């Protein structure tokens, strides 16, 4: 915490020095969204280059003055929370003054900019993410108040919390981890008691694009157990993008890649080539929208795809067919096809990329 306070004090000192010299104060932040500031490294994923281009948030420019003020406001809130050892969610910060902040996304962007500017991980700033991820399966731990939590019985779905991420007492006999894109598929696998039937495993869902806590937990489990991690996504550009976030990280959080990415994650399904192999009727598939085409074209250009020739082939199949499929399409073969046939066969015969 002293490191956080010192980093904030240095920023404020810079602002005061500028004022003392009758200059307009300026905050300098990295250009997080610029692909030219990102490099791809096989062992880490997308990471920010050491000497990246920056942008100035000026206090004397109409376009950036509001942002400058909001950054100082949130810095002061963080400073008070670290001093008093209290915490707030991003939503708490937004709702403390909705008129001032304007939108939740503005708050989220500023918090990431501050984290990047101070070179301090967001969780050390005493700001909690509102968690939406779930974990279930062969995993147990003890809560801070001494409560023992066991995710092994299929009725127990644990919400992924910030305090899971510092745990030293995680216990598991899982043979693998399965990341599931959607909540509906996750619940279906729970109903079918999948994680007990095939072999003990841990299932995680970020319920769409994963939040920070879900990504941190996947990384924590990988560091703790070093077991294979598979991803089960829709066969569409959005599903591929979500899988890439878990595996290689995102451009906007590339400054934290070392704590967030797990480059060993494998693509288990749903593969575009599976649709033909399983004779899925074309009537059950969904035609691409213009947005899908653009998203796929953007993914195909990313630096990590060149390192994944088999992924590249799958994306080419998707691009040529201009059709996408949700995991639920497997129910057209039989109600429990996913848990009874598809996943056991894939896991047994190595059907992943």
């Amino acid at each position: 915490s002293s490191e956080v306070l010192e980093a904030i004090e240095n920023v404020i000192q810079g602002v005061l020095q500028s004022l003392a010299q009758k200059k307009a104060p300026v905050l300098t932040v990295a250009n997080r969204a610029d692909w030219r500031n990102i490099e791809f490294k096989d062992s880490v994923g997308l990471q920010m280059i050491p000497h990246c281009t920056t942008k100035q948030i000026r206090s004397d420019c109409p376009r950036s003055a509001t942002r400058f003020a909001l950054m100082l406001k949130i810095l002061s809130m963080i400073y008070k929370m670290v001093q008093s050892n209290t915490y707030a969610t991003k939503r708490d910060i937004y709702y403390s003054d909705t008129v001032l902040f304007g939108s939740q996304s503005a708050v989220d962007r500023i918090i990431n900019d501050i984290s990047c500017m101070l070179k301090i991980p967001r969780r050390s700033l005493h700001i909690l993410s509102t968690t939406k991820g779930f974990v279930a399966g062969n995993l147990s731990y003890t809560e801070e108040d001494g409560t023992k939590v066991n995710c092994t019985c299929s009725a127990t779905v644990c919400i992924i919390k910030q305090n899971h991420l510092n745990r030293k007492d995680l216990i598991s006999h899982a043979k693998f981890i399965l990341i599931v894109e959607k909540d509906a598929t996750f619940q279906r696998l729970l109903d079918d008691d999948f994680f007990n039937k095939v072999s003990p495993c841990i299932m995680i869902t970020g319920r769409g694009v994963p939040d920070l806590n879900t990504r941190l937990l996947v990384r924590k489990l990988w560091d703790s157990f070093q077991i294979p991690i598979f991803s089960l996504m829709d066969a569409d550009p959005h599903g591929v993008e979500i899988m890439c976030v878990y595996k290689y990280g995102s451009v906007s959080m590339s400054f934290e890649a070392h704590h967030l990415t797990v480059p060993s994650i494998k693509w288990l399904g749903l593969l575009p080539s599976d649709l033909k192999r399983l004779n899925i009727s074309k009537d059950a598939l969904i035609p691409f929208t213009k947005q899908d085409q653009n998203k796929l074209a953007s993914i195909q250009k990313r630096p990590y795809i060149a390192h994944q020739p088999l992924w590249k082939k799958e994306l080419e199949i998707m691009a040529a067919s201009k059709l996408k499929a949700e995991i639920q399409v497997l129910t057209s073969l039989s109600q429990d096809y996913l848990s009874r046939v598809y996943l056991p066969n894939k896991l047994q015969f190595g059907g992943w990329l």
Side-chain angles (χ1 to χ4, degrees), residues 7 121 157:
V157 175

Side-chain angles (χ1 to χ4, degrees), residues 175-176 178 194 197-199 228 230 267-269 277 338-353:
K175 297 286 182 268
F176 63 91
L178 182 66
F194 171 75
K197 278 182 183 164
V198 178
S199 65
F230 301 111
W267 187 4
L268 187 69
R277 183 175 61 81
L338 175 67
S339 58
R340 188 176 51 83
V341 182
Y342 182 82
L343 288 174
N345 282 351
K346 283 254 171 179
L347 292 162
Q348 189 179 346
F349 300 114
W352 57 79
L353 305 179

